[in-house]
Amino acid sequence: MKRSLSILFILATAFNVSAQKKKTIKPLQPYTVANKKVTVYTTAEKSAYRISKTETLSFTENKQPFETEPCIFVDPTITYQTMVGIGGALTDASAETFAKLSKKNQQELLTAYYNRDKGIGYTLARTNIASCDFSSGSYTYVQEHDQDLKTFSVAHDEQYKIPLIKQAIAAAGGKLPLFVSPWSPPAWMKDNNSLIQGGHLLPAYRQSWANHYVKFIKTYEAKGIPVWGLSVQNEPMAKQKWESCVFTAEEERDFIKNFLGPTLQKSGLASKKLIAWDHNRDQIFQRASTILNDKDAAKYVWGIGFHWYETWTGSGMQFGNVKQTHEAYPGKALIFTEGCKEKYDVNKLDDWSLGERYGYSMINDFNAGTAAWTDWNILLDEKGGPNHVGNFCFAPVHADTKNDKLIYTNAYYYMGHFSKFIRPGAKRIGTASSRDQLQSTAFLNTDGKMVVVVMNQSDHQLKYSLWIKGEAATTTSLPHSITTLVVE
C-alpha cells in the first residue's frame, strides 16, 4: 500500500511540475502591421525610376477586401524555403573585360554589384573550372595524359579571373559564397578526344576526373578563395560547339555515387555543397528523380541546379517542373545556376524585356521553392563577349572598353529589386495576387523586415493594396515596372 501511495505521489508531483511549466509558456503573438510603415522602391519603363524610393505607405484596417479591390495578399506566418543568396558568375569573359576598365570604373562596378547600400548587394557567385564558351580560348589545367594530375596548375586564372574574384569577395565585405562548375574534362579523358561537341567521360578516367575537382578547390582555397560548392557538370545534356560533356542521368548518378561523392568525403571536402543537373527546367524532374531516388547517390547531393534555356525548344519557362521537384524532394535545395539573354544586339541594350525576363523568372522560381539564384556573366564587353565561339550574349552590365564606360541595362535593376532587399537567411512567406497582371513573391528577413516584390508586365497602371492580416496599404503599380515594398 505504501508503495502504491509513493507512486501516486510521484505521478502527482510530476503532473504539477508539468502544469507549472506549461503555465510559463507564452502563446504565439499574432503578426500585426498596424503600426508599421511600407517603403516603396520602383523601377519603371519610360521613367527615371531605377530602384528609386518613390513613396512611404501606412496601413489602415481592411478586414475583407471586395473582389473589385486588386490585392497582393501576404501571410508572414506561412513560411517556405530559406534564402541562400543571389548573385552572378565571375567568368573569364567578365574578368578580362573588367581588366580593361580604368581603376575608377572597376571600383564602380564592384560597388554596384557587391555593396548593399550603394549597390545591389550580391551574396553569391559562380565561376568556371577550366575554359567555357565565355573564355577567350580553350584551356585546361593539366598536361596531356597526366592521369595523376602532377602538372595541375591554375596559372591561367591568375592573370584575370582570380584577381577579380578576390576583389569581389572584398567588395562583398569579405564573404561571398562561390560555387564552381566544369564545362568539360580534358580532351584526353573523353571518348571523342575533344573539349567540344559533347562526348562522354571515359570510364578509365572517372577517378582522375573526381580528383580534379578536389585539386581545383584546394588550389583556389590555398590562394585565398573559399569554395562553397560545386556542380557536377554544366549542362550535361548539351552537345555544344564549345566546351561540353554529356552525362545521362544514370551516368551522373553513378559518377556521384561511386567517384565524386566518396572522393570529396575522403579529401575533407564533404561540407562542400554538391549540385546535380545544372541544366534546363525541362528535364529537371527526370534528372532529380533518377539521382535522388538512389540513396547512395542522394546522400552526397546538396541540391539540384537549373538554367532557363528550355525556351530554345519553343517551350515557355517550365516553373511547374521546378515546383514538382521541390515537392518531391523537399530536403534538397533548388538553385538557379545560370541564365542570360542570348543573341547579343547592341541596339537592344535598352530593351525593357531584358529586365522583365529576370523578374518573371525570379518571382516564379522563388515561388516554386528555389533557394538561390545566380545570373550568368556579371560583365561583358560592347560586343557581348569575349566568347571564343561567337556565342555573344547580354549581361546586366556591359563595358564600352574603347571609351571606358559602363552601361547598366534594366536587368541590373530588376535583379537588384531582389538581391538588395532579400538577404541570406530570409524565409519565403505566403503571398498571392488577385490579379494576373501583378506577379509577386515575399520574404521575411532575419532582422524582421518583410520584403514584397511586385512586377507589372502590362501596359496599364494598376492600383492595388498590400493586404496583411486585415490591414492594407494602397499604392499604384506603373506600367512595365517592378516594385519592392519593405515593411518595417
Side-chain angles (χ1 to χ4, degrees):
M1 184 66 180
K2 286 183 179 179
R3 186 180 179 185
S4 298
L5 288 172
S6 298
I7 291 171
L8 287 172
F9 176 77
I10 292 168
L11 289 173
T13 303
F15 177 81
N16 288 334
V17 170
S18 178
Q20 287 172 4
K21 285 183 179 178
K22 285 181 180 178
K23 287 178 185 177
T24 63
I25 297 174
K26 295 180 180 179
L28 289 172
Q29 295 297 315
Y31 190 93
T32 177
V33 294
N35 298 316
K36 295 183 183 289
K37 298 290 184 183
V38 184
T39 307
V40 182
Y41 299 86
T42 304
T43 294
E45 188 182 27
K46 297 177 182 177
S47 79
Y49 296 148
R50 297 295 183 269
I51 317 183
S52 305
K53 184 177 177 180
T54 49
E55 59 182 327
T56 302
L57 312 174
S58 298
F59 286 96
T60 57
E61 188 177 44
N62 185 352
K63 292 296 184 185
Q64 178 58 64
F66 290 101
E67 292 174 292
T68 52
E69 300 176 66
C71 287
I72 300 295
F73 298 106
V74 178
D75 188 339
T77 65
I78 298 172
T79 60
Y80 301 95
Q81 77 273 19
T82 301
M83 173 61 71
V84 172
I86 299 170
L90 300 161
T91 60
D92 288 313
S94 295
E96 290 168 30
T97 303
F98 181 81
K100 293 177 183 177
L101 294 171
S102 63
K103 293 295 183 185
K104 176 177 175 290
N105 278 337
Q106 287 182 349
Q107 187 55 54
E108 179 186 319
L109 185 83
L110 292 169
T111 299
Y113 270 121
Y114 299 104
N115 186 293
R116 186 184 179 188
D117 298 322
K118 298 177 181 178
I120 60 174
Y122 271 7
T123 53
L124 191 61
R126 182 194 192 201
T127 199
N128 48 297
I129 298 176
S131 59
C132 65
D133 50 330
F134 280 92
S135 303
S136 289
S138 296
Y139 64 91
T140 62
Y141 298 130
V142 291
Q143 293 178 11
E144 194 87 358
H145 300 300
D146 177 14
Q147 189 171 336
D148 297 326
L149 311 181
K150 292 178 180 178
T151 59
F152 187 94
S153 170
V154 296
H156 171 278
D157 299 359
E158 291 175 345
Q159 185 175 7
Y160 298 116
K161 195 164 61 169
I162 286 174
L164 173 59
I165 294 171
K166 286 185 174 181
Q167 289 179 74
I169 292 170
K175 181 182 179 183
L176 184 64
L178 172 74
F179 68 98
V180 298
S181 306
W183 266 243
S184 176
W188 51 270
M189 287 190 184
K190 297 167 65 181
D191 61 3
N192 67 346
N193 197 34
S194 174
L195 291 175
I196 66 173
Q197 295 296 333
H200 292 253
L201 177 66
L202 288 166
Y205 295 115
R206 287 171 183 162
Q207 186 58 58
S208 184
W209 183 229
N211 294 340
H212 190 281
Y213 298 79
V214 172
K215 275 278 190 182
F216 180 84
I217 291 169
K218 289 192 172 181
T219 301
Y220 259 50
E221 293 197 330
K223 293 181 180 296
I225 298 175
V227 175
W228 169 82
L230 67 156
S231 66
V232 180
Q233 168 64 45
N234 177 73
E235 299 187 347
M237 287 309 297
K239 180 182 177 182
Q240 301 285 23
K241 62 180 180 180
W242 55 82
E243 289 81 350
S244 47
C245 184
V246 173
F247 282 79
T248 66
E250 290 77 12
E251 286 172 338
E252 185 176 9
R253 176 198 65 200
D254 294 346
F255 180 62
I256 291 170
K257 175 170 61 175
N258 299 321
F259 296 94
L260 185 55
T263 300
L264 290 170
Q265 200 161 56
K266 290 173 187 173
S267 303
L269 301 179
S271 64
K272 304 304 180 187
K273 308 297 188 283
L274 183 59
I275 300 162
W277 187 221
D278 200 2
H279 206 164
N280 297 328
R281 299 185 187 99
D282 51 2
Q283 295 186 11
I284 185 174
F285 181 75
Q286 181 260 349
R287 183 65 54 134
S289 62
T290 301
I291 294 172
L292 300 180
N293 286 347
D294 185 317
K295 61 180 177 58
D296 293 324
K299 67 182 180 182
Y300 296 115
V301 177
W302 172 80
I304 305 295
F306 63 96
H307 301 180
W308 73 14
Y309 307 113
E310 67 268 22
T311 53
W312 79 272
T313 63
S315 169
M317 290 185 173
Q318 295 183 295
F319 304 112
N321 290 350
V322 178
K323 186 176 182 180
Q324 174 83 353
T325 303
H326 176 63
E327 290 174 347
Y329 305 100
K332 300 298 182 181
L334 287 172
I335 173 171
F336 182 91
T337 47
E338 183 187 317
C340 74
K341 172 66 174 170
E342 300 167 287
K343 298 179 180 178
Y344 178 78
D345 182 347
V346 68
N347 298 312
K348 293 185 177 180
L349 281 172
D350 293 327
D351 193 325
W352 205 254
S353 68
L354 288 175
E356 289 189 330
R357 183 171 182 175
Y358 279 83
Y360 177 68
S361 178
M362 295 179 81
I363 286 172
N364 285 281
D365 283 333
F366 289 137
N367 287 346
T370 300
W373 211 95
T374 327
D375 184 29
W376 191 208
N377 306 277
I378 65 162
L379 177 70
L380 292 174
D381 66 19
E382 60 271 22
K383 296 179 181 178
N387 186 293
H388 72 91
V389 290
N391 181 36
F392 302 120
C393 296
F394 288 88
V397 183
H398 283 266
D400 177 349
T401 58
K402 294 176 183 176
N403 298 299
D404 190 36
K405 290 182 180 178
L406 291 172
I407 303 162
Y408 294 83
T409 74
N410 51 68
Y412 166 83
Y413 299 102
Y414 268 72
M415 282 206 69
H417 274 273
F418 300 87
S419 60
K420 185 178 178 72
F421 303 99
I422 303 167
R423 307 304 291 171
K427 286 276 189 185
R428 184 170 71 86
I429 56 178
T431 182
S433 173
S434 68
R435 295 292 187 274
D436 63 354
Q437 299 101 321
L438 298 175
Q439 297 188 52
S440 67
T441 191
F443 284 80
L444 190 63
N445 281 315
T446 56
D447 62 3
K449 292 181 182 179
M450 186 191 306
V451 177
V452 184
V453 180
V454 179
M455 189 173 79
N456 176 4
Q457 283 182 271
S458 81
D459 297 329
H460 307 290
Q461 184 169 294
L462 299 167
K463 184 178 179 181
Y464 71 94
S465 292
L466 176 63
W467 189 96
I468 306 171
K469 299 291 186 181
E471 303 280 339
T474 302
T475 186
T476 298
S477 175
L478 298 176
H480 294 284
S481 70
I482 186 166
T483 303
T484 301
L485 302 96
V486 180
V487 183
E488 57 183 315

